Every structure is written in C-alpha cells, then in structure tokens.
Amino acid sequence: MTEVVLLERPAEGVVLLRINRPEARNALNIEVRKLLAKHLAEVSEDTTTRAVVVTGNDKAFAAGADIKEMADAGTIEMHQRGAHKLWRTIAGCSKPVIAAVNGYALGGGCEIAMTCDIIVAGESARFGQPEVKIGIIPGGGGTQRLTRAIGKYKAMKYVLTGDLFTAKEAFEMGLVSEVVPDPEVEGRAIDLARQLAALPPLALQLAKEAVLAGMEAPLSTALALETKSIQILFSSQDQKEGMRAFIEKRKPKFIGH
Ligand code: DAK
C-alpha cells in the first residue's frame, strides 16, 4: 500500500512531510491525518529535527478533508474520529513548521497551512474555505484563524461564499509569508527550514510560543510572557555562545540548550 504521508530528510535538521494522495488531490482522509499527527508529534520530541516542512504535490497541497469518507458519517462518529486533534498537533509542534503550498489548499488543507508558522506559496496556488458549498462550515480552525489573519470582513466574505483566492491575494491579505514561482516552492521552503535549523532551537521555540500564546492574550499579558521568555534564554548556553561569537567576530556553534 502506498504511504499517504512521506517523511523525507532533505537537509540536516530538516524533516519534510509530504502528503501523498495525488489521485484524490491530497484529500485528508483519516489515515493522512493520523500519520501527519504521528510524525509531527515525533519530530516535536526529536532533538535532531530543528525545522519541519509540510507539503503536497504540484496540483494540491490538500483539497480538504476527504468528502467521500465523511459524507455518511454522523455526529458521534465525527466526534470519535477526533479530526480536531490534527490541527492541535501541528499548532503545538515545538519546532517551526513551514507550509510549502502548490495547487489547492482548500478547507482542511487551508486550515493545515494556517496552523503552520510560515507559508510559502506558488504563484498558481489557490486557497479557500469552500465548506459551505457542501453544507458544513470550516471545522479545523478556519473561521477563527482566517479571521485573525486577514480580518473579519475579508474572512467573512470567503467563509460565507466559499470563493477561492489566489496566492497573490493571500499574500496581500497577510495570509501567506512569501509567493514564489511554482517550481521554486519546495526549494525555498527547505532553504528557509535550513536557515532556521542553524539557529538556536530554544530561542526559536520560545519565540514561536510567545507569538502564538500572545495572540490569544491581552497585550500586557503577552508582553509579560515575552519578557519572561527572553529572561529564560539568558540561562541557555546558546545565548552565551551567540553573544560571545558576535563579540569575537566568529560564527556561533549552537548546541540546543
Ligand atoms: N475529498 C475527497 N475526494 C476529493 C477531494 C476531497 N476533498 N477533492 C478532490 N477529490 C477527488 C475527486 O473526487 C476526484 O476523484 P475521482 O473522481 O478521480 O475519483 C479527484 O480527487 C480529482 O478531483 P477533481 O477531478 O475534482 O480535480 P480538479 O482538478 O478538477 O478539481 C478541486 C480540484 C480541488 C478544485 C476539486 O476537486 C474540489 O473542489 N475538491 C473539493 C474541495 C472542498 O470542498 N474541500 C473542502 C472539504 S471539507 C472537522 C474538521 C475539518 C473538516 C471537517 C471536519 N471536524 C473537526 C469534525 C474539514 C472539512 C473539509 O475540508
């Protein structure tokens, strides 16, 4: 049987997770969701992995949850399938996660991209939350993360109409970090991951936590969290090494604690 999520190591410290159901536009069936969650939980714990790239293929990052698999499901079955756990695992990954998006990122696919920390999109990528067209609403964070990323009135338009939007529009609205030519998406995401893999992991982890937790908190609480986080880093060897290396005009060698 074909593995529906492939794990590759394209560079030192970098893990690439490739959703691999091209015949179904990478629709997220239970198996894909379980494997993605499993790999992400493992790389979160693995000290040799410093950054993660999640990608699909040239036609689809992921066209959403597998409609054929859920069409006849009832409430209790949907609850027991625990789909919501996947998005939580990605958002909770302690390493930086980069989405490399070519083709369609729709519904649950767009929601996966939005739980990543950085989104690199190809020029022809298409994003959207088209769930209303099949009688549901975004259920993997789309009503909330899209609204926080692009604001109420744009998010409301896309959530209510189900219309798709382009990579350029996504970039202009603040949903995408970078737009590059389609063939360069994966390479650019790996380059970014390699760049992150060379940086002190504790600093990256605390920076990610401060941004994400801060987004949910009042400004004063978020600023206090930031202050505590920077203070904690002064106990790390990587902080001593980074600053000494700067002063001694040499390249730092980070060890991860
Ligand atoms: N599910 C299942 N199969 C899909 C699929 C999907 N989402 N998307 C595409 N496919 C399949 C097609 O059925 C077709 O299969 P065959 O007919 O060859 O067997 C094959 O992939 C190729 O698709 P097309 O022929 O349609 O290819 P096109 O290039 O013409 O169009 C497209 C690509 C992506 C625009 C189109 O396939 C499309 O509109 N797909 C559906 C997009 C969509 O509606 N996505 C939202 C799904 S709902 C939850 C949390 C989250 C969710 C649910 C629950 N809980 C916490 C409970 C998430 C829900 C969703 O994402």
Side-chain angles (χ1 to χ4, degrees):
M1 210 173 81
T2 328
E3 191 81 346
V4 292
V5 177
L6 305 173
L7 188 149
E8 301 165 24
R9 294 186 184 275
E12 201 187 331
V14 177
V15 160
L16 182 142
L17 299 176
R18 189 186 300 284
I19 306 169
N20 185 39
R21 290 189 75 210
E23 72 289 354
R25 298 289 183 269
N26 279 348
L28 306 161
N29 63 3
I30 295 172
E31 201 190 346
V32 171
R33 289 202 304 266
K34 274 195 177 148
L35 269 176
L36 269 179
K38 174 176 168 287
H39 288 316
L40 281 159
E42 282 169 7
V43 297
S44 227
E45 299 301 318
D46 170 26
T47 50
T48 65
T49 303
R50 300 281 182 90
V52 183
V53 175
V54 178
T55 196
N57 55 50
D58 57 342
K59 289 212 173 67
F61 177 73
D66 192 312
I67 299 169
K68 294 166 192 169
E69 198 181 62
M70 65 185 166
D72 296 323
T75 311
I76 303 302
E77 198 181 340
M78 287 304 284
H79 172 71
Q80 285 171 340
R81 285 182 185 180
H84 53 283
K85 288 181 195 148
L86 167 65
W87 289 275
R88 222 183 273 160
T89 316
I90 302 174
C93 182
S94 61
K95 316 289 162 77
V97 185
I98 302 171
V101 179
N102 265 323
Y104 295 105
L106 307 183
C110 187
E111 292 171 325
I112 286 187
M114 288 193 291
T115 57
C116 294
D117 304 310
I118 295 174
I119 305 178
V120 177
E123 283 163 345
S124 349
R126 292 285 177 280
F127 295 81
Q129 299 289 163
E131 287 90 339
V132 286
K133 293 183 176 174
I134 53 169
I136 55 172
I137 66 167
T143 61
Q144 304 310 307
R145 289 202 174 91
L146 189 65
T147 307
R148 281 164 170 74
I150 69 175
K152 173 188 162 186
Y153 294 98
K154 288 178 190 138
M156 198 64 102
K157 183 181 104 175
Y158 291 117
V159 168
L160 293 184
T161 61
D163 284 351
L164 308 193
F165 48 96
T166 64
K168 185 170 174 278
E169 288 167 328
F171 178 77
E172 283 163 0
M173 293 187 291
L175 183 72
V176 155
S177 319
E178 278 186 23
V179 180
V180 298
D182 295 349
E184 292 172 25
V185 169
E186 200 172 305
R188 175 62 187 143
I190 292 169
D191 279 350
L192 273 171
R194 199 186 275 125
Q195 186 183 339
L196 297 176
L199 291 167
L202 265 180
L204 295 187
Q205 190 181 336
L206 291 189
K208 173 170 172 169
E209 277 176 26
V211 172
L212 292 180
M215 281 173 74
E216 294 175 23
L219 181 62
S220 56
T221 310
L223 290 172
L225 172 70
E226 183 191 75
T227 304
K228 294 296 168 207
S229 301
I230 186 177
Q231 287 167 349
I232 286 170
L233 287 167
F234 278 81
S235 289
S236 74
Q237 292 187 38
D238 282 348
Q239 172 267 327
K240 298 287 172 283
E241 168 63 6
M243 293 195 181
R244 260 184 224 128
F246 173 80
I247 293 164
E248 293 165 10
K249 298 186 188 300
R250 61 174 173 82
K251 224 175 156 237
K253 202 171 171 346
F254 296 119
I255 53 174
H257 50 85

